[in-house]
Amino acid sequence: MNKEKELIDKLIDLAFAEDIGDGDHTTLSCIPATAMGKSKLLIKEAGVLAGIEVAKEIFNRFDPTMKVEVFINDGTEVKPGDVAMVVEGKVQSLLQTERLMLNVMQRMSGIATMTRKYAKVLEGTNTRVLDTRKTTPGMRILEKMAVKIGGGVNHRIGLFDMILLKDNHVDFAGGIDKAITRAKEYCKEKGKDLKIEIEVRSFDELQQVLDLGGVDRIMFDNFTPEMTKKAVEMVAGKYETESSGGITFDTLRDYAECGVDFISVGALTHSVKGLDMSFKAC
């Protein structure tokens, strides 16, 4: 079992445990166990659909006899009135899985919608929008899946799949040189093939990185567009470049036109509104 599936399975189990507890007594009290029915996923707001594949897994893990017919796939732009899928099975199962499925799909679709909006602004440039670790605890895998569905690129998944030397790491390590040198020695000692990215706060720090080398990507932290243009010229294509910090939707294109490879945007995941949809009997 790969790590992604393991995390999703654990999330689904925890979500059912917190929602259902020792039983959905509302449903169990008024719906016969033998009652069968259908529900449709009705879209109520324009956006980008995401989470269909996860929804199928939610239904399957709760009740493998449920049948899902998908009409609209992940990544498709949807509008009010669209029916994304119809699910058929025990009415008790439809009612008990409804909220978890909606919570996941509304959240993921909201993120995919926001990401698509950012990605469209970058069309025509060589810059891609990246997510961050500013995610809902426990839901990171799903939220990062939604970013990809929306047309963005995943940064590292967590602290384990890339080395990102940020300002605090640099300061605690005693400077740029020490931070990079220790990171490289660590990878060699542990036999790990991890990309190394370092954050710089000034042209002086950038020059230190360029003098030492040994990294894969350089992040310009809180640089203005003018500073970013100069920084990209200094790097001269030797390393990947990334802009981060203080970048808004309105200034996104300005940074892209400076020639950076990536722009990381915490807003893709940390403060997104869910896409409105409902699960109705049909």
Side-chain angles (χ1 to χ4, degrees), residues 65-149:
T65 68
M66 300 174 84
K67 295 175 184 173
V68 182
E69 186 175 6
V70 175
F71 300 109
I72 303 175
N73 291 312
D74 286 339
T76 306
E77 294 192 8
V78 292
K79 62 186 184 304
D82 285 348
V83 174
M85 65 180 167
V86 170
V87 186
E88 184 176 359
K90 295 175 183 174
V91 175
Q92 285 190 352
S93 296
L94 292 171
L95 291 168
Q96 290 177 92
T97 53
E98 174 185 336
R99 180 48 54 198
L100 174 55
M101 179 276 294
L102 284 172
N103 284 347
V104 166
M105 288 212 58
Q106 287 181 294
R107 179 80 180 154
M108 288 185 70
S109 297
I111 290 169
T113 300
M114 176 75 84
T115 305
R116 181 71 54 86
K117 185 180 168 188
Y118 276 75
K120 281 184 175 178
V121 171
L122 296 177
E123 285 178 358
T125 73
N126 293 318
T127 307
R128 304 293 300 277
V129 65
L130 288 176
D131 53 26
T132 68
R133 286 169 52 240
K134 296 172 184 176
T135 55
T136 309
M139 284 194 69
R140 180 174 298 169
I141 292 296
L142 302 188
E143 293 180 350
K144 284 184 172 274
M145 282 172 62
V147 167
K148 288 180 77 173
I149 289 168

Coordinates of all heavy atoms in Angstrom, one line a residue, residues 65-149:
T65 N -21.5 -2.4 -1.6 CA -22.6 -2.7 -2.5 C -23.2 -1.5 -3.2 O -24.0 -1.6 -4.1 CB -23.8 -3.5 -1.8 OG1 -24.4 -2.5 -0.8 CG2 -23.3 -4.7 -1.1
M66 N -22.8 -0.3 -2.8 CA -23.2 0.9 -3.4 C -22.7 1.1 -4.8 O -21.5 0.8 -5.1 CB -22.8 2.2 -2.6 CG -23.3 2.2 -1.1 SD -22.7 3.5 -0.1 CE -23.8 4.8 -0.6
K67 N -23.6 1.5 -5.7 CA -23.2 1.7 -7.1 C -23.1 3.1 -7.5 O -24.1 3.9 -7.2 CB -24.2 1.0 -8.0 CG -24.3 -0.6 -7.8 CD -25.4 -1.2 -8.7 CE -25.5 -2.7 -8.4 NZ -26.6 -3.3 -9.1
V68 N -22.0 3.5 -8.1 CA -21.8 4.9 -8.4 C -21.7 5.1 -9.9 O -20.9 4.4 -10.6 CB -20.4 5.4 -7.8 CG1 -20.2 6.9 -8.1 CG2 -20.4 5.2 -6.3
E69 N -22.5 6.0 -10.5 CA -22.5 6.3 -11.9 C -22.0 7.7 -12.0 O -22.7 8.7 -11.6 CB -23.9 6.1 -12.5 CG -23.8 6.3 -14.0 CD -25.2 6.0 -14.7 OE1 -26.2 5.8 -14.0 OE2 -25.2 6.0 -16.0
V70 N -20.8 7.9 -12.6 CA -20.2 9.2 -12.7 C -20.5 9.8 -14.1 O -20.4 9.2 -15.1 CB -18.7 9.1 -12.6 CG1 -18.0 10.5 -12.8 CG2 -18.3 8.6 -11.2
F71 N -21.0 11.1 -14.1 CA -21.3 11.8 -15.3 C -20.3 12.9 -15.6 O -20.1 13.3 -16.7 CB -22.7 12.4 -15.2 CG -23.8 11.4 -15.0 CD1 -24.5 11.3 -13.8 CD2 -24.2 10.6 -16.0 CE1 -25.5 10.4 -13.6 CE2 -25.2 9.6 -15.8 CZ -25.8 9.5 -14.6
I72 N -19.6 13.4 -14.5 CA -18.7 14.5 -14.7 C -17.4 14.1 -14.0 O -17.4 13.8 -12.8 CB -19.2 15.8 -14.2 CG1 -20.5 16.2 -14.9 CG2 -18.2 17.0 -14.4 CD1 -21.2 17.5 -14.4
N73 N -16.3 14.1 -14.6 CA -15.0 13.7 -14.0 C -14.2 14.9 -13.4 O -14.5 16.1 -13.7 CB -14.1 13.1 -15.1 CG -14.7 11.7 -15.5 OD1 -15.0 10.9 -14.7 ND2 -14.7 11.5 -16.8
D74 N -13.3 14.5 -12.5 CA -12.4 15.5 -11.9 C -11.8 16.4 -12.9 O -11.3 15.9 -13.9 CB -11.4 14.8 -11.0 CG -11.9 14.2 -9.7 OD1 -13.0 14.6 -9.3 OD2 -11.2 13.3 -9.2
G75 N -11.7 17.7 -12.6 CA -11.0 18.6 -13.4 C -11.9 19.4 -14.4 O -11.5 20.3 -15.1
T76 N -13.2 18.9 -14.5 CA -14.1 19.5 -15.4 C -14.8 20.8 -14.8 O -15.1 20.8 -13.6 CB -15.3 18.5 -15.7 OG1 -14.7 17.3 -16.2 CG2 -16.2 19.1 -16.8
E77 N -14.9 21.8 -15.6 CA -15.6 23.0 -15.2 C -17.1 22.8 -15.1 O -17.7 22.3 -16.1 CB -15.2 24.2 -16.1 CG -13.8 24.6 -15.9 CD -13.4 25.9 -16.6 OE1 -14.3 26.6 -17.0 OE2 -12.2 26.2 -16.6
V78 N -17.7 23.1 -14.0 CA -19.2 22.8 -13.8 C -19.9 24.0 -13.6 O -19.4 25.1 -13.3 CB -19.4 21.8 -12.6 CG1 -18.8 20.4 -13.0 CG2 -18.7 22.3 -11.4
K79 N -21.3 23.9 -13.7 CA -22.2 25.1 -13.5 C -23.4 24.6 -12.7 O -23.7 23.4 -12.6 CB -22.6 25.6 -14.8 CG -23.4 24.7 -15.7 CD -23.6 25.2 -17.1 CE -24.5 24.3 -17.9 NZ -24.0 22.9 -18.1
P80 N -24.1 25.6 -12.1 CA -25.3 25.2 -11.3 C -26.3 24.4 -12.2 O -26.5 24.7 -13.3 CB -25.9 26.6 -11.0 CG -24.8 27.5 -11.0 CD -23.9 27.0 -12.1
G81 N -26.8 23.3 -11.6 CA -27.7 22.4 -12.3 C -27.1 21.2 -12.8 O -27.8 20.2 -13.1
D82 N -25.8 21.1 -12.9 CA -25.1 19.9 -13.4 C -25.3 18.8 -12.3 O -25.2 19.1 -11.1 CB -23.6 20.2 -13.6 CG -23.3 21.0 -14.9 OD1 -24.3 21.1 -15.7 OD2 -22.2 21.5 -15.0
V83 N -25.4 17.6 -12.8 CA -25.4 16.4 -11.9 C -24.1 15.7 -12.2 O -23.8 15.2 -13.3 CB -26.6 15.5 -12.2 CG1 -26.5 14.2 -11.4 CG2 -27.9 16.2 -11.9
A84 N -23.3 15.6 -11.2 CA -21.9 15.0 -11.3 C -22.0 13.5 -11.2 O -21.2 12.8 -11.9 CB -21.0 15.6 -10.2
M85 N -22.9 12.9 -10.4 CA -22.9 11.5 -10.3 C -24.3 11.1 -9.6 O -24.9 11.9 -9.0 CB -21.8 10.9 -9.4 CG -21.8 11.4 -8.0 SD -20.3 10.7 -7.1 CE -20.4 11.6 -5.6
V86 N -24.6 9.9 -9.8 CA -25.8 9.3 -9.1 C -25.3 8.0 -8.4 O -24.6 7.2 -9.0 CB -26.9 8.9 -10.1 CG1 -28.0 8.1 -9.5 CG2 -27.5 10.2 -10.8
V87 N -25.7 7.9 -7.1 CA -25.3 6.8 -6.3 C -26.6 6.0 -5.9 O -27.6 6.5 -5.5 CB -24.6 7.2 -5.1 CG1 -24.0 6.0 -4.3 CG2 -23.4 8.2 -5.4
E88 N -26.5 4.7 -6.1 CA -27.6 3.8 -5.8 C -27.2 2.8 -4.8 O -26.1 2.2 -4.8 CB -28.1 3.1 -7.1 CG -29.3 2.2 -7.0 CD -29.7 1.6 -8.3 OE1 -29.1 1.9 -9.3 OE2 -30.7 0.8 -8.3
G89 N -28.1 2.5 -3.8 CA -27.8 1.5 -2.8 C -28.8 1.6 -1.6 O -29.9 2.2 -1.8
K90 N -28.4 1.1 -0.5 CA -29.2 1.1 0.7 C -29.4 2.6 1.1 O -28.4 3.3 1.2 CB -28.5 0.3 1.8 CG -28.4 -1.2 1.6 CD -27.7 -1.8 2.7 CE -27.5 -3.3 2.4 NZ -26.6 -4.0 3.4
V91 N -30.6 2.9 1.4 CA -30.9 4.3 1.8 C -30.1 4.7 3.1 O -29.5 5.8 3.2 CB -32.4 4.6 2.1 CG1 -32.6 6.0 2.6 CG2 -33.1 4.3 0.8
Q92 N -29.9 3.7 4.0 CA -29.2 4.0 5.2 C -27.7 4.3 4.9 O -27.1 5.3 5.5 CB -29.2 2.7 6.1 CG -30.5 2.5 6.9 CD -30.4 1.4 7.9 OE1 -29.3 0.7 8.0 NE2 -31.4 1.2 8.7
S93 N -27.2 3.7 3.9 CA -25.8 3.9 3.5 C -25.7 5.3 2.8 O -24.7 6.1 3.0 CB -25.3 2.8 2.5 OG -25.2 1.6 3.2
L94 N -26.6 5.6 1.9 CA -26.7 6.9 1.3 C -26.7 8.1 2.3 O -25.9 9.1 2.2 CB -27.9 7.1 0.4 CG -27.9 6.2 -0.9 CD1 -29.3 6.2 -1.6 CD2 -26.8 6.6 -1.9
L95 N -27.5 7.9 3.3 CA -27.6 9.0 4.3 C -26.4 9.1 5.2 O -26.0 10.2 5.6 CB -28.8 8.7 5.2 CG -30.2 8.9 4.4 CD1 -31.3 8.4 5.3 CD2 -30.4 10.4 4.1
Q96 N -25.7 8.0 5.5 CA -24.6 8.0 6.4 C -23.3 8.5 5.8 O -22.4 8.9 6.4 CB -24.4 6.6 7.1 CG -25.5 6.3 8.1 CD -25.3 4.9 8.6 OE1 -24.7 4.7 9.7 NE2 -25.9 3.9 7.9
T97 N -23.2 8.3 4.4 CA -22.0 8.7 3.7 C -22.1 10.2 3.1 O -21.1 10.8 2.7 CB -21.7 7.8 2.5 OG1 -22.9 7.6 1.7 CG2 -21.3 6.4 3.1
E98 N -23.3 10.7 3.1 CA -23.6 12.0 2.5 C -22.7 13.1 3.0 O -22.0 13.8 2.2 CB -25.1 12.4 2.7 CG -25.4 13.8 2.2 CD -26.9 14.2 2.6 OE1 -27.7 13.3 2.8 OE2 -27.1 15.4 2.6
R99 N -22.6 13.3 4.3 CA -21.9 14.5 4.8 C -20.4 14.4 4.5 O -19.7 15.4 4.1 CB -22.2 14.7 6.2 CG -21.5 15.9 6.9 CD -21.6 17.2 6.1 NE -22.9 17.6 5.7 CZ -23.2 18.4 4.7 NH1 -22.3 18.9 4.0 NH2 -24.5 18.7 4.5
L100 N -19.8 13.2 4.8 CA -18.4 13.1 4.5 C -18.0 13.3 3.1 O -17.1 14.0 2.7 CB -17.9 11.7 5.0 CG -16.4 11.4 4.7 CD1 -15.5 12.5 5.2 CD2 -16.0 10.0 5.2
M101 N -18.8 12.7 2.2 CA -18.6 12.9 0.8 C -18.7 14.3 0.4 O -17.8 14.9 -0.3 CB -19.6 12.0 0.0 CG -19.4 12.1 -1.6 SD -20.3 13.6 -2.3 CE -22.0 13.2 -1.9
L102 N -19.7 15.0 0.9 CA -19.9 16.4 0.5 C -18.7 17.3 1.1 O -18.2 18.2 0.4 CB -21.2 17.0 1.0 CG -22.5 16.6 0.2 CD1 -23.7 17.0 0.9 CD2 -22.4 17.2 -1.2
N103 N -18.4 17.0 2.4 CA -17.3 17.8 3.0 C -16.0 17.7 2.1 O -15.3 18.7 1.9 CB -17.0 17.3 4.4 CG -18.0 17.8 5.4 OD1 -18.8 18.6 5.1 ND2 -18.0 17.2 6.6
V104 N -15.7 16.5 1.7 CA -14.5 16.3 0.9 C -14.6 16.9 -0.5 O -13.7 17.6 -0.9 CB -14.2 14.7 0.8 CG1 -13.2 14.5 -0.3 CG2 -13.7 14.2 2.1
M105 N -15.7 16.7 -1.2 CA -15.9 17.2 -2.5 C -16.0 18.7 -2.6 O -15.5 19.4 -3.5 CB -17.0 16.5 -3.2 CG -16.8 15.1 -3.6 SD -17.6 14.5 -5.1 CE -17.0 15.7 -6.3
Q106 N -16.7 19.3 -1.6 CA -16.8 20.8 -1.6 C -15.5 21.4 -1.3 O -15.1 22.4 -2.0 CB -17.8 21.2 -0.5 CG -19.3 20.9 -0.9 CD -20.3 21.3 0.2 OE1 -20.3 20.8 1.3 NE2 -21.1 22.3 -0.2
R107 N -14.7 20.9 -0.4 CA -13.4 21.4 -0.1 C -12.4 21.2 -1.3 O -11.8 22.2 -1.7 CB -12.8 20.7 1.2 CG -11.4 21.1 1.6 CD -11.4 22.4 2.4 NE -10.1 22.8 2.7 CZ -9.7 24.0 3.0 NH1 -10.6 25.0 2.9 NH2 -8.5 24.3 3.3
M108 N -12.4 20.0 -1.8 CA -11.5 19.8 -2.9 C -11.9 20.6 -4.2 O -11.0 21.2 -4.9 CB -11.4 18.3 -3.3 CG -10.7 17.4 -2.3 SD -10.6 15.7 -2.8 CE -9.4 15.8 -4.2
S109 N -13.1 20.7 -4.4 CA -13.6 21.5 -5.6 C -13.3 23.0 -5.4 O -13.0 23.7 -6.4 CB -15.1 21.3 -5.8 OG -15.3 19.9 -6.2
G110 N -13.4 23.5 -4.2 CA -13.1 24.9 -3.9 C -11.6 25.1 -4.2 O -11.3 26.2 -4.8
I111 N -10.8 24.2 -3.8 CA -9.3 24.4 -4.0 C -9.0 24.3 -5.5 O -8.2 25.1 -6.0 CB -8.5 23.3 -3.2 CG1 -8.6 23.6 -1.7 CG2 -7.1 23.2 -3.6 CD1 -8.1 22.5 -0.8
A112 N -9.6 23.3 -6.2 CA -9.4 23.2 -7.6 C -9.8 24.4 -8.4 O -9.2 24.9 -9.3 CB -10.1 21.9 -8.1
T113 N -10.9 25.0 -7.9 CA -11.5 26.2 -8.6 C -10.5 27.4 -8.4 O -10.2 28.1 -9.3 CB -12.9 26.5 -8.0 OG1 -13.8 25.4 -8.2 CG2 -13.4 27.8 -8.6
M114 N -10.0 27.5 -7.2 CA -9.1 28.6 -6.9 C -7.8 28.4 -7.6 O -7.3 29.4 -8.2 CB -8.8 28.7 -5.4 CG -7.7 29.7 -5.0 SD -8.4 31.3 -5.0 CE -9.1 31.4 -3.4
T115 N -7.3 27.2 -7.7 CA -6.1 26.9 -8.4 C -6.2 27.2 -9.9 O -5.3 27.8 -10.5 CB -5.6 25.5 -8.2 OG1 -5.5 25.2 -6.8 CG2 -4.3 25.2 -8.8
R116 N -7.3 26.8 -10.5 CA -7.6 27.0 -11.9 C -7.5 28.5 -12.2 O -7.0 29.0 -13.2 CB -8.9 26.4 -12.3 CG -9.3 26.5 -13.8 CD -8.4 25.7 -14.7 NE -8.4 24.3 -14.3 CZ -9.3 23.4 -14.7 NH1 -10.4 23.7 -15.5 NH2 -9.2 22.1 -14.3
K117 N -8.1 29.3 -11.3 CA -8.1 30.8 -11.4 C -6.7 31.3 -11.5 O -6.4 32.2 -12.3 CB -8.9 31.4 -10.3 CG -9.1 32.9 -10.3 CD -9.9 33.3 -9.1 CE -9.9 34.8 -8.9 NZ -10.5 35.2 -7.6
Y118 N -5.8 30.8 -10.6 CA -4.4 31.3 -10.6 C -3.7 30.8 -11.8 O -2.9 31.5 -12.4 CB -3.7 30.8 -9.3 CG -3.9 31.7 -8.1 CD1 -5.2 31.7 -7.4 CD2 -2.9 32.5 -7.6 CE1 -5.4 32.5 -6.3 CE2 -3.1 33.3 -6.5 CZ -4.3 33.3 -5.8 OH -4.5 34.1 -4.8
A119 N -3.9 29.5 -12.2 CA -3.2 28.9 -13.3 C -3.5 29.7 -14.6 O -2.6 29.9 -15.5 CB -3.6 27.5 -13.4
K120 N -4.8 30.1 -14.7 CA -5.2 30.8 -15.9 C -4.4 32.2 -16.1 O -4.1 32.6 -17.2 CB -6.7 31.1 -16.0 CG -7.4 29.8 -16.4 CD -8.9 30.1 -16.5 CE -9.6 28.8 -17.1 NZ -11.1 29.0 -17.2
V121 N -4.2 32.8 -14.9 CA -3.5 34.1 -14.9 C -2.0 33.9 -15.4 O -1.4 34.8 -16.0 CB -3.5 34.7 -13.5 CG1 -2.5 35.9 -13.5 CG2 -4.9 35.2 -13.1
L122 N -1.5 32.7 -15.2 CA -0.1 32.4 -15.6 C 0.1 31.9 -17.0 O 1.2 31.7 -17.5 CB 0.5 31.4 -14.6 CG 0.6 31.9 -13.1 CD1 1.1 30.7 -12.3 CD2 1.5 33.1 -13.0
E123 N -1.1 31.7 -17.7 CA -1.0 31.2 -19.1 C -0.2 32.1 -19.9 O -0.3 33.3 -19.9 CB -2.4 31.0 -19.7 CG -3.1 29.8 -19.1 CD -4.5 29.7 -19.7 OE1 -5.0 30.6 -20.4 OE2 -5.2 28.7 -19.3
G124 N 0.7 31.5 -20.8 CA 1.6 32.3 -21.6 C 2.9 32.6 -21.0 O 3.8 33.1 -21.7
T125 N 3.1 32.2 -19.7 CA 4.4 32.4 -19.1 C 4.9 31.0 -18.8 O 4.2 30.0 -19.0 CB 4.3 33.1 -17.8 OG1 3.7 32.3 -16.8 CG2 3.5 34.4 -17.9
N126 N 6.2 30.9 -18.4 CA 6.8 29.6 -18.0 C 6.7 29.3 -16.5 O 7.3 28.4 -16.0 CB 8.2 29.5 -18.5 CG 8.4 29.6 -20.0 OD1 7.6 28.9 -20.7 ND2 9.3 30.4 -20.5
T127 N 5.9 30.1 -15.8 CA 5.7 30.0 -14.4 C 4.6 29.1 -14.0 O 3.5 29.2 -14.6 CB 5.5 31.4 -13.8 OG1 6.6 32.2 -14.2 CG2 5.6 31.3 -12.3
R128 N 4.8 28.2 -13.0 CA 3.7 27.4 -12.5 C 3.4 27.8 -11.1 O 4.3 28.2 -10.3 CB 4.1 25.9 -12.5 CG 4.6 25.4 -13.9 CD 3.5 25.4 -14.9 NE 2.4 24.5 -14.5 CZ 2.4 23.1 -14.7 NH1 3.4 22.5 -15.2 NH2 1.3 22.4 -14.3
V129 N 2.1 27.6 -10.7 CA 1.7 27.9 -9.3 C 1.9 26.7 -8.4 O 1.5 25.6 -8.8 CB 0.3 28.5 -9.2 CG1 -0.8 27.4 -9.7 CG2 -0.1 29.0 -7.9
L130 N 2.5 26.9 -7.3 CA 2.7 25.8 -6.3 C 1.9 26.0 -5.1 O 1.5 27.1 -4.7 CB 4.2 25.9 -5.8 CG 5.3 25.5 -6.7 CD1 6.6 25.8 -6.0 CD2 5.3 24.0 -7.1
D131 N 1.5 24.8 -4.5 CA 0.8 24.9 -3.2 C 1.9 24.9 -2.0 O 3.1 25.0 -2.3 CB -0.1 23.7 -3.0 CG 0.6 22.3 -3.2 OD1 1.8 22.2 -3.1 OD2 -0.1 21.4 -3.6
T132 N 1.4 24.9 -0.8 CA 2.3 24.9 0.4 C 1.9 23.9 1.4 O 1.0 23.1 1.1 CB 2.3 26.3 1.0 OG1 1.0 26.5 1.6 CG2 2.5 27.4 0.0
R133 N 2.5 23.9 2.6 CA 2.1 23.0 3.7 C 1.0 23.7 4.5 O 0.7 23.2 5.6 CB 3.3 22.7 4.5 CG 4.2 21.7 3.9 CD 5.5 21.5 4.6 NE 5.4 21.2 6.1 CZ 5.8 22.0 7.1 NH1 6.5 23.1 6.8 NH2 5.6 21.6 8.3
K134 N 0.5 24.8 4.1 CA -0.6 25.5 4.8 C -1.9 24.8 4.5 O -2.8 25.4 3.8 CB -0.6 27.0 4.5 CG 0.6 27.7 4.9 CD 0.7 29.1 4.4 CE 2.0 29.8 4.8 NZ 2.1 31.2 4.3
T135 N -2.1 23.6 5.0 CA -3.2 22.8 4.7 C -4.0 22.4 5.9 O -3.5 22.6 7.0 CB -2.8 21.5 4.0 OG1 -1.8 20.8 4.8 CG2 -2.1 21.8 2.6
T136 N -5.2 21.8 5.7 CA -6.0 21.4 6.9 C -5.4 20.1 7.4 O -5.2 19.1 6.7 CB -7.4 21.0 6.4 OG1 -8.0 22.1 5.7 CG2 -8.3 20.7 7.6
P137 N -5.0 20.1 8.7 CA -4.4 18.9 9.3 C -5.2 17.6 9.0 O -6.4 17.5 9.2 CB -4.3 19.2 10.8 CG -4.2 20.6 10.9 CD -5.1 21.1 9.7
G138 N -4.5 16.6 8.4 CA -5.1 15.3 8.1 C -5.6 15.3 6.7 O -5.8 14.2 6.2
M139 N -5.9 16.4 6.1 CA -6.5 16.5 4.7 C -5.5 16.9 3.7 O -5.8 17.1 2.5 CB -7.7 17.4 4.7 CG -8.9 16.8 5.3 SD -10.4 17.8 4.9 CE -10.6 17.4 3.2
R140 N -4.2 16.9 4.0 CA -3.2 17.5 3.1 C -3.2 16.7 1.7 O -3.1 17.3 0.7 CB -1.8 17.5 3.7 CG -0.7 18.0 2.8 CD 0.6 18.1 3.4 NE 0.5 19.1 4.5 CZ 1.5 19.2 5.4 NH1 2.6 18.5 5.3 NH2 1.4 20.1 6.4
I141 N -3.2 15.4 1.8 CA -3.1 14.6 0.5 C -4.3 15.0 -0.4 O -4.1 15.2 -1.6 CB -3.1 13.1 0.8 CG1 -1.8 12.7 1.5 CG2 -3.3 12.3 -0.5 CD1 -0.6 12.9 0.7
L142 N -5.5 15.1 0.2 CA -6.6 15.4 -0.7 C -6.5 16.9 -1.2 O -6.9 17.1 -2.3 CB -7.9 15.3 0.1 CG -8.2 13.9 0.7 CD1 -9.6 13.9 1.3 CD2 -8.1 12.8 -0.3
E143 N -6.1 17.8 -0.4 CA -6.0 19.2 -0.8 C -4.9 19.3 -1.9 O -5.1 20.1 -2.8 CB -5.7 20.1 0.4 CG -6.9 20.1 1.4 CD -6.8 20.9 2.6 OE1 -5.7 21.4 2.9 OE2 -7.8 21.1 3.3
K144 N -3.8 18.6 -1.7 CA -2.8 18.7 -2.8 C -3.2 18.0 -4.1 O -2.9 18.4 -5.2 CB -1.5 18.1 -2.2 CG -0.8 19.1 -1.3 CD 0.6 18.7 -0.8 CE 1.3 19.8 -0.1 NZ 2.1 20.7 -0.9
M145 N -4.0 16.9 -3.9 CA -4.6 16.3 -5.1 C -5.5 17.3 -5.9 O -5.5 17.4 -7.1 CB -5.5 15.1 -4.7 CG -4.7 13.9 -4.4 SD -5.8 12.6 -3.7 CE -6.9 12.3 -5.0
A146 N -6.3 18.1 -5.1 CA -7.1 19.1 -5.7 C -6.4 20.2 -6.4 O -6.8 20.7 -7.4 CB -8.0 19.7 -4.6
V147 N -5.2 20.6 -5.9 CA -4.4 21.6 -6.5 C -3.9 21.1 -7.9 O -4.0 21.8 -8.9 CB -3.1 21.9 -5.7 CG1 -2.1 22.7 -6.5 CG2 -3.5 22.7 -4.4
K148 N -3.5 19.8 -8.0 CA -3.1 19.2 -9.3 C -4.3 19.2 -10.2 O -4.1 19.5 -11.4 CB -2.5 17.8 -9.0 CG -1.2 17.9 -8.4 CD -0.6 16.5 -8.2 CE -0.1 15.9 -9.5 NZ 0.6 14.6 -9.3
I149 N -5.5 18.8 -9.7 CA -6.7 18.7 -10.6 C -7.0 20.1 -11.1 O -7.4 20.2 -12.3 CB -7.9 18.2 -9.8 CG1 -7.6 16.7 -9.5 CG2 -9.2 18.4 -10.5 CD1 -8.6 16.1 -8.5

